[in-house]
Amino acid sequence: MSSSLSPGSSSPLDAHGWDSGWAAAFAPYAARGLVPGRVVRVDRGQCDVATDAGTVRADTAFVTPHDPLRVVCTGDWAAVDPEGASDPRYVRACLPRRTAFARSTSSKRSEGQILAANVDHAVIAVSLAVELDLGRIERFLALAWESGAQPTVVLSKADLVPDPVGLSYLVEDVETVAPGVQVLPLSSTTGEGLDVLSAVVAGGTTVLLGVSGAGKSTLANALVGEDVMSVQAARDVDGKGRHTTTTRNLFVLPGGGVLIDTPGLRGVGLWDAEAGVGQVFSEIEELARDCRFHDCAHEAEPGCAVVAAIEDGTLPVRRLESFRKLMRENQRLVAKTDARLRGEIRRDWKRTMAAGRAAVEFKRNGRLR
């Protein structure tokens, strides 16, 4: 039995996050003579797996389910054929994930897409070279919270905002939409903030997220300490860049922990992220507890604490609109795969339409039918 399977023993896999919990989960596969490893890259039905003996190439044909959320993903812990068992070697199983970062695809089939597995921290890179898109930040945060990871927002290219006061205002703007989240201005050029982020990601597994041009590849190189990712300049007009990262790659960090870099995301679709949305808009969830009706839609109901907060200025209108938008989007997505929920939405819509017709009738005739 490999020494990596024994809790407390030293193993090359320790640097990739191997611990006693993974060792216990792997025990049944060890009894079958399989080898543990962490998936560091996936492409074209094959993957690179870091094992005690080094990185090996393995085929994923035996663990390719119909559910796209269950495919082998960067960050998974896998049970792999031992050396010499077969050519090619195969991934025979993946251990149950502790966390998973997923989004919806852009296809009309509304399938989920797994981006990274077994993640502890989610670093959301936002470029200061362009105007802040608070709505997009809220989307990333909702997915991060839903995954089970602790998010951190990094405002990259901070050297492009030389005025400290102006930079502090930008940080405050993001902090208003990121309750409970550290917001860190950082410059890979000057090194500002890099030591703080290095300390954040030193323990566990971190996934690096953001749109193209956000500076993720540059940031990954700075954290790893060498040029592991190619870098291309972003357009000055809109901060967009080409996808220099085309696969998800896992790197061991010199200060401890591992980093999963991801391609720039053009779309950030929610995937069953109601709890994550609630976490992002925690102040609205808190206000809603004081609404007169437990199913208050925060529209025009009497005794609505959320509407009252809008009226007295304590809750920005933009926040409520963004909350409604993300909740509607998430509900529509879930309804496409949940027949019971589709029925509930249809009944709610019929009740709303009936109430609207009754209100119009009352205005016309001064009475209800």
Side-chain angles (χ1 to χ4, degrees), residues 45-244:
Q46 292 189 316
C47 61
D48 295 333
V49 184
T51 70
D52 273 345
T55 300
V56 302
R57 191 73 169 162
D59 196 296
T60 64
F62 280 94
V63 283
T64 304
H66 296 295
D67 183 355
L69 292 175
R70 302 305 307 167
V71 299
V72 177
C73 178
T74 303
D76 272 326
W77 284 98
V80 186
D81 286 331
E83 185 176 3
S86 64
D87 186 20
R89 296 169 76 168
Y90 288 95
V91 173
R92 299 293 175 173
C94 286
L95 300 186
R97 293 164 178 160
R98 293 178 181 175
T99 62
F101 195 101
R103 67 163 180 171
S104 66
T105 64
S106 57
S107 70
K108 295 182 179 180
R109 291 179 294 177
S110 299
E111 293 179 338
Q113 179 189 24
I114 183 74
L115 298 180
N118 301 310
V119 173
D120 303 293
H121 311 287
V123 172
I124 301 165
V126 179
S127 174
L128 290 179
V130 294
E131 185 177 355
L132 289 175
D133 186 337
L134 298 180
R136 179 181 288 149
I137 294 173
E138 289 165 341
R139 283 177 171 272
F140 272 113
L141 288 170
L143 291 176
W145 282 122
E146 189 69 32
S147 75
Q150 170 65 47
T152 298
V153 177
V154 167
L155 302 181
S156 65
K157 307 182 183 182
D159 53 289
L160 299 180
V161 187
D163 177 20
V165 175
L167 182 59
S168 68
Y169 287 153
L170 292 172
V171 172
E172 289 178 6
D173 286 344
V174 177
E175 287 176 338
T176 61
V177 304
V181 175
Q182 182 178 16
V183 179
L184 177 64
L186 185 145
S187 170
S188 298
T189 301
T190 66
E192 175 192 358
L194 191 59
D195 56 339
V196 178
L197 182 61
S198 296
V200 170
V201 303
T205 298
T206 299
V207 62
L208 185 55
L209 304 158
V211 299
S212 296
K216 298 191 310 305
S217 295
T218 302
L219 183 55
N221 289 339
L223 289 171
V224 176
E226 57 182 292
D227 291 340
V228 293
M229 304 302 300
S230 62
V231 177
Q232 293 179 345
R235 297 196 300 253
D236 292 335
V237 64
D238 56 11
K240 293 182 179 178
R242 284 181 289 175
H243 292 289
T244 55

